[in-house]
Amino acid sequence: AITLNELSLIALELREFSEAKNYCKKAYDIYDEFSDFSAKARILNNMGLIAQELKEYPKAQSYYEQVLAIIEDEQDTYFKAGVRYNLAIAAKI
């Protein structure tokens, strides 16, 4: 799943959004199977980035809101801040 996540980020950089989505979905399913909520949140954040690049802003907002709900009790303030920033960008447009 870690490799799939990394592949999704590479595909996103290459603007191969369909491939990026596919990698994210596969990684998400694996993390879901093992109930790894932190990793699922990171995948959802990546899916939000993909949606944002595709100008699917309401979908991006939904992904970011899901992430924030998952990580509400986590101590990783850097990640939380990044997700809130992404949400603000998607909401602004």
Side-chain angles (χ1 to χ4, degrees):
I2 293 169
T3 302
L4 290 168
N5 184 32
E6 292 300 319
L7 288 170
S8 76
L9 294 173
I10 291 168
L12 178 60
E13 277 294 313
L14 295 173
R15 306 190 63 76
E16 295 176 2
F17 302 119
S18 180
E19 284 295 312
K21 280 187 197 180
N22 289 334
Y23 289 129
C24 280
K25 288 177 183 176
K26 289 176 184 177
Y28 183 88
D29 290 343
I30 292 168
Y31 289 132
D32 192 41
E33 185 178 329
F34 292 99
S35 299
D36 188 338
F37 297 106
S38 179
K40 282 172 44 175
R42 294 186 187 286
I43 294 295
L44 288 169
N45 186 64
N46 293 349
M47 292 172 79
L49 294 172
I50 294 165
Q52 200 165 317
E53 286 294 322
L54 293 171
K55 300 185 183 345
E56 297 172 346
Y57 301 114
K59 188 183 281 188
Q61 285 178 280
S62 175
Y63 285 128
Y64 298 139
E65 288 166 355
Q66 290 177 61
V67 173
L68 290 173
I70 291 171
I71 64 171
E72 183 177 338
D73 296 329
E74 285 192 17
Q75 300 300 315
D76 189 348
T77 55
Y78 181 78
F79 182 51
K80 283 183 188 177
V83 175
R84 287 188 178 112
Y85 174 79
N86 292 342
L87 179 58
I89 296 297
K92 179 181 172 185
I93 297 176

